Amino acid sequence: VGTFRRGEAPAGLDLDAVVLVADAPGRLPRQLADRVKPIESVIDVYRVPWVPDWRLGHLRGQPPREAEPLARLTGATGRSR
């Protein structure tokens, strides 16, 4: 995001959304949630929950329900890898 703010992004490259991927199971700690709020106020934010299988590179199957909006946006729905 800082690259775009400073005007250092390559010409023709736009930032349309930010994807935040959980680095641990459970709720987002308040300190991190407070850092996300300003980002959400200026751009679409897609949150992806912790998925233990993904950490090990097991990407088969449907994305978690919480990631469905992002999956639709990227065309990843119904696709197994």
Side-chain angles (χ1 to χ4, degrees):
V1 174
T3 300
F4 288 90
R5 193 179 0 206
R6 291 187 303 272
E8 298 172 354
L13 183 63
D14 294 322
L15 182 64
D16 294 325
V18 172
V19 178
L20 301 176
V21 180
D23 65 342
R27 292 187 67 176
L28 193 62
R30 162 107 18 227
Q31 290 173 311
L32 292 177
D34 288 345
R35 294 175 128 191
V36 171
K37 287 177 186 176
I39 298 170
E40 290 176 322
S41 71
V42 295
I43 196 162
D44 290 335
V45 173
Y46 293 89
R47 296 180 188 219
V48 177
W50 171 258
V51 179
D53 284 345
W54 289 0
R55 186 172 193 210
L56 301 173
H58 303 265
L59 305 177
R60 297 202 177 275
Q62 290 291 99
R65 181 175 27 101
E66 299 91 342
E68 284 178 8
L70 178 61
R72 281 192 302 274
L73 180 70
T74 62
T77 54
R79 187 174 21 168
S80 58
R81 297 179 199 159

